[in-house]
Amino acid sequence: MMEVLNVIGYSFFVMAAGLLYMGIGRKVAARLHRRYGPPVWQCYVDVVKCFSRKSISHNFIMDLGSMMGLSGLLGAAMFIPIAGFLPFPSQGPIIVILYLMPIGYLGMAMGVSASGNPLAAIGIGRALTLMIGYEVPFATIVLSFIATYSSTGLVPLQAVQAGGIANWHMMTMPFGFAAALIALMGMLGKKPFDTMIAPSEIASGPMVELSGKFLGLAFLQHAAAIFVETGLIVLLFLGGASNVFEFIGKQAAVYIVMASLSELWARYRVEQATKFLWISAGSLALVQLVINMIIGRK
Amino acid sequence: MEPVFYELTKLAQNDQYTTYEMFFGPNHPGMHGNFGYVVEAVGATVVKVRVNAGLLHRGFEKLMETKGWFQNLSLIPRICVVDPDPNEVAYCMAAERLCGMEIPEKAKYLRSLTLEMSRLTSLLMGMGALGAMMGLYSSMYRMMTDRDYVLDLFEWLTGARIYHIYNVPGGVRRDIPDGFLAKLTEVLDTLEYNLKEWDNLVFENPVVHKRLTGIGYITAEEAVHYGLVGPNLRATGFLADVRKDDPYAAYPYLDFETPVTHGGDALARAVQVRKEYEMSIKLVRQIIKKMPKSKEIRLKAGNTLKFVVPPGDTYARVESSKGEYGYYVVSDGGLKPYRVSVRGPSLPAGLTLCHKHLPGMDISDVAIWMASYAVCPPDIDR
């Protein structure tokens, strides 16, 4: 019973934290644009508003896809430990997280494709293509951890970074960290990798046919995705956290950096983005893997 | 016919691929204005395009036949919101030419000043919009700030930010307020300083280069054939500038060399616009330096409601931020124009060149193509 309550509570926390980062990101972007920008709680207002509006569903698959999208990301979030806390006992296996995350995106793909809008189909096609772009470098980084620690658990990987900044993988695995940040830009859909949304090209792509609760669910899915993706960086490279506030602070810092960098770049076309991710992030990740393999196991 | 879309069309005809129609505008974030293209696409590739114009038609030309020569001045700037002053000046020049008027020297300088200030605002919007079409919204918003500095000055000089209605047949409405030129110099310093930022953000941005290279390529011969003008034509290496070819206002007294860029693609057009922006700042500085001290800013036109223009017809043209803006005006000697026909610079690219360039293009490049050619729907729909 307690575990069920943990899962429900943790899910709400994940979505709330993700929406907070989104709000902060919007504010930061606005300030870089020389705009005042919306208040940081605007994303909460948006979600409530979306759920209070009439929704248009095209078919059952659209309903199912939207739910699957959120469930996949929330499922992945269940394995992200915050200061050692997890809703149910596990080691925070990265492989499971990497498996569950695409389920979220595939759910979204299924839902919006069922809407029949060609712009949504183009957008989701781009999102899945881009996924190939950032998953390969990120998987290579995970291999680097396996090569060194023979483990893919986030809990033990956080533990080995204890003792100060010098022990953080950001310092000990700089190439992997750089590759992870580039891949993270792609995961978060930040420019130059926001080709799946691209308002001026495909009118926001996957979101074009979403109304009411479907748009609300997409918002929440994105919030959960932000939590999982920034959480992975914090746990793998920034030493994790000893308490929830430290964790949120580090996640917010990572997201602000990503949101700020995003404002410096134009948008790549999807094939350019995938190529760039493979060449830049892929090479850096490969260099890190080779280094870790040479150094050997710890 | 280009092989790419020829193949797709053939497959579509054989029912191997299904084409679908997509409305790229008027309700599309990539479309700037009440205008649209109905594109027939296979996947994300455009196969065929149909212009969906007429949504912005306000009947300006017909309306001008029903109003007095001076009354029309409140209509004319509304033809182009972004760069309204070339409309005013071209119309006034046509009326003055038919009346045989020679406006005072200071009025000529003031006209050139407002034309160049208007060009600055328009080019800032154009450069920003091009960035926004590639997702670079920071350039759009930050350039809007610079644009607002110039609009503040317009408000001070003319009393209005957008529709200035400053130029009238016989000269201009107001003299420069005290301290205006000093403030203008300050703003020019800011604009010039910010050029470095625009270079870093847009013109030297490697992602921008990747997105713009090769998009909408056109040779100088084709550009002339299609009737392209202004920066679009000069970006093919072809030098043509109304300010030099058919000098008007104070341009004969100013020392400037119009830049050209070789390349003919979207990147060349972006670079050309940036060069023209810099040149425009320099031109305004020259105008400030050479501004006559005289107080005479317009000829007496008498009762403006009874202003008549002798019978005849003429074509007056000015170099707007997008190229040659022309007014063909016919008078029958009455209180109203008999006919006014406007030649907008966006028309060749927006209406005809799209049929050549868009088929075969990925849907992701359509908005960039439009922004690089500075297609301004009000130029097309009047």
Side-chain angles (χ1 to χ4, degrees), chain B residues 49-70:
Chain B
V49 64
R50 196 175 81 235
V51 176
N52 185 15
L55 304 155
L56 197 57
H57 185 67
R58 295 147 293 173
F60 277 129
E61 292 181 2
K62 198 68 191 165
L63 273 173
M64 281 193 252
E65 294 169 17
T66 66
K67 293 180 185 299
W69 288 94
F70 271 75

Side-chain angles (χ1 to χ4, degrees), chain A residues 32 191 200 263-264 267 269, chain B residues 133-135 138 142 365:
Chain A
L32 290 171
K191 286 181 283 272
S200 59
E263 295 310 318
L264 295 176
R267 177 190 307 122
R269 287 168 62 131
Chain B
M133 293 304 115
M134 291 178 279
S138 36
R142 292 177 82 88
D365 293 329

Side-chain angles (χ1 to χ4, degrees), chain A residues 28 119 152 172 231 235 237 273 286 291 294 297:
Chain A
V28 168
L119 293 172
T152 58
T172 57
L235 290 161
F237 292 99
L286 210 59
I291 292 170
I294 293 167
R297 291 183 179 176

Side-chain angles (χ1 to χ4, degrees), chain A residues 29-217:
Chain A
R31 289 307 167 100
L32 290 171
H33 292 164
R34 293 184 184 159
R35 288 188 288 122
Y36 186 76
V40 287
W41 60 83
Q42 185 62 46
C43 292
Y44 300 108
V45 178
D46 290 345
V47 170
V48 171
K49 200 166 79 175
C50 283
F51 277 97
S52 64
R53 293 286 165 91
K54 189 182 169 189
S55 312
I56 299 167
S57 171
H58 292 269
N59 47 44
F60 171 70
I61 298 295
M62 193 174 163
D63 297 9
L64 184 71
S66 295
M67 288 310 295
M68 185 177 148
L70 180 59
S71 312
L73 265 306
L74 285 178
M78 293 303 127
F79 297 97
I80 301 285
I82 301 177
F85 173 80
L86 279 160
F88 49 82
S90 82
Q91 292 291 304
I94 307 174
I95 301 294
V96 177
I97 294 169
L98 290 181
Y99 174 76
L100 285 170
M101 274 169 63
I103 290 180
Y105 299 124
L106 290 171
M108 173 64 95
M110 198 168 81
V112 300
S113 300
S115 74
N117 191 309
L119 293 172
I122 294 172
I124 215 68
R126 290 179 177 192
L128 296 178
T129 310
L130 197 69
M131 207 162 80
I132 301 169
Y134 60 73
E135 287 273 324
V136 172
F138 203 79
T140 313
I141 296 162
V142 174
L143 284 177
S144 308
F145 285 107
I146 294 172
T148 306
Y149 300 108
S150 306
S151 170
T152 58
L154 287 171
V155 175
L157 286 176
Q158 181 188 344
V160 296
Q161 297 177 75
I165 294 177
N167 293 340
W168 292 5
H169 289 135
M170 179 180 81
M171 309 299 279
T172 57
M173 293 170 61
F175 296 108
F177 180 58
L181 286 184
I182 297 170
L184 181 66
M185 293 281 275
M187 287 181 186
L188 292 171
K190 292 287 178 197
K191 286 181 283 272
F193 309 116
D194 70 332
T195 179
M196 71 287 257
I197 303 293
S200 59
E201 297 171 12
I202 51 171
S204 298
M207 292 194 293
V208 72
E209 205 66 27
L210 302 180
S211 58
K213 70 181 177 197
F214 296 105
L215 192 57
L217 285 169

Side-chain angles (χ1 to χ4, degrees), chain B residues 258-298:
Chain B
T258 311
V260 290
T261 308
H262 296 273
D265 60 356
L267 182 63
R269 287 189 285 279
V271 170
Q272 176 64 23
V273 164
R274 189 249 180 257
K275 286 180 185 170
E276 298 204 3
Y277 177 72
E278 193 174 9
M279 187 188 87
S280 202
I281 294 174
K282 286 180 181 153
L283 273 176
V284 179
R285 286 198 194 280
Q286 261 194 70
I287 293 167
I288 294 171
K289 215 169 164 184
K290 294 181 177 176
M291 182 67 74
K293 302 281 178 226
S294 150
K295 292 280 175 199
E296 196 189 359
I297 54 164
R298 71 171 171 270

